[in-house]
């Protein structure tokens, strides 16, 4: 990797190799939970940032042939996921290095939950927040609430219970049990 050719968007300032080059219309510090921040190298070797599908224009030009993306999380704790569906669908037909430079990527921003105390001590609200924090499980939180599932009840449930009583797909039941096991191990 060429460490002499680093470009950064920090706040609304653009930097090249640590030197401020100017301002940009997008400030990543203002993104909210659920926003989609897109980063794309255009065919003309310019780098564009998108927020929720809106192109904020050229940020940098004269990019090298191969570009690597890095996301640094500062301030409030959050989680990001690199999403590059275009790259996945074209992988079999193109060279990976070319794909990495031409395809755009999105960064999905999600809130990270910090669960305190032992899971067995959680109240119903904490259990519902836990369920909601697991991708694709939000729709099931209402059922946990209506059944008064607190932490003590939650730790007694297994994958079979989640599938049969909550009508949950096996994959989601496995995710819940796995996350719960990790949290129980931390306490």
């Amino acid at each position: 990797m060429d460490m002499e050719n680093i470009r950064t968007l920090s706040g609304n300032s653009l930097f090249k190799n640590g030197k401020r080059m100017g301002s940009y219309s997008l400030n990543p510090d203002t993104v909210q939970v659920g926003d989609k921040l897109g980063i794309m190298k255009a065919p003309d070797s310019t780098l564009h940032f998108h927020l929720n599908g809106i192109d904020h224009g050229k940020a940098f030009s004269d990019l090298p042939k191969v570009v690597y993306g890095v996301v640094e999380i500062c301030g409030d704790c959050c989680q990001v996921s690199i999403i590059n569906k275009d790259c996945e669908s074209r992988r079999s037909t193109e060279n990976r290095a070319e794909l990495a430079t031409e395809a755009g990527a999105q960064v999905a921003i999600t809130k990270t939950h910090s669960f305190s105390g032992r899971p067995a001590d959680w109240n119903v609200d904490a259990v519902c927040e836990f369920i909601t924090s697991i991708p694709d499980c939000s729709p099931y939180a209402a059922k946990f609430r209506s059944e008064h599932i607190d932490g003590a009840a939650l730790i007694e449930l297994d994958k079979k219970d989640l599938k049969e009583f909550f009508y949950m797909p096996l994959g989601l039941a496995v995710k819940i049990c796995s996350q719960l096991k990790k949290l129980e191990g931390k306490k």
Side-chain angles (χ1 to χ4, degrees):
M1 184 175 350
D2 182 3
M3 298 305 283
E4 299 274 326
N5 213 348
I6 298 173
R7 287 159 174 102
T8 308
L9 172 61
S10 180
N12 69 338
S13 296
L14 297 169
F15 295 87
K16 181 176 179 182
N17 300 326
K19 180 180 175 193
R20 188 173 187 282
M21 304 302 291
S23 296
Y24 192 63
S25 62
L26 174 67
N27 183 342
D29 295 339
T30 64
V31 297
Q32 302 292 314
V33 171
D35 284 346
K36 302 279 191 236
L37 180 63
I39 305 164
M40 185 175 139
K41 181 184 176 198
D44 65 352
S45 290
T46 59
L47 186 73
H48 293 246
F49 291 92
H50 302 253
L51 183 60
N52 298 322
I54 298 171
D55 184 348
H56 283 258
K58 176 181 76 174
F60 297 103
S61 57
D62 299 322
L63 295 175
K65 183 173 181 170
V66 176
V67 175
Y68 298 93
V70 177
V71 176
E72 180 179 20
I73 303 170
C74 299
D76 292 337
C77 186
C78 69
Q79 170 185 328
V80 298
S81 304
I82 306 296
I83 305 165
N84 196 344
K85 293 179 181 164
D86 186 47
C87 183
E88 291 297 320
S89 65
R90 294 169 34 203
R91 180 167 283 147
S92 62
T93 61
E94 296 185 29
N95 177 315
R96 282 187 190 205
E98 290 173 5
L99 265 173
T101 63
E102 293 175 8
Q106 285 188 347
V107 178
I109 300 161
T110 55
K111 179 179 177 184
T112 299
H113 300 271
S114 115
F115 300 101
S116 58
R118 297 175 336 133
D121 297 332
W122 292 347
N123 61 22
V124 173
D125 289 335
V127 167
C128 291
E129 183 179 350
F130 168 71
I131 296 300
T132 301
S133 75
I134 299 170
D136 302 320
C137 290
S138 294
Y140 298 95
K143 180 76 169 164
F144 279 81
R145 185 174 307 285
S146 70
E147 294 298 327
H148 305 282
I149 304 292
D150 62 8
L154 179 65
I155 63 172
E156 296 298 322
L157 297 174
D158 62 17
K159 292 181 281 272
K160 183 178 177 185
D161 296 326
L162 294 171
K163 276 188 62 170
E164 292 178 4
F165 186 73
F166 290 88
Y167 305 106
M168 192 175 284
L170 178 61
L172 297 183
V174 169
K175 285 181 186 179
I176 288 173
C177 291
S178 175
Q179 291 289 71
L180 187 59
K181 191 179 216 180
K182 286 178 189 176
L183 288 171
E184 286 181 305
K186 288 182 180 179
K187 306 299 177 197

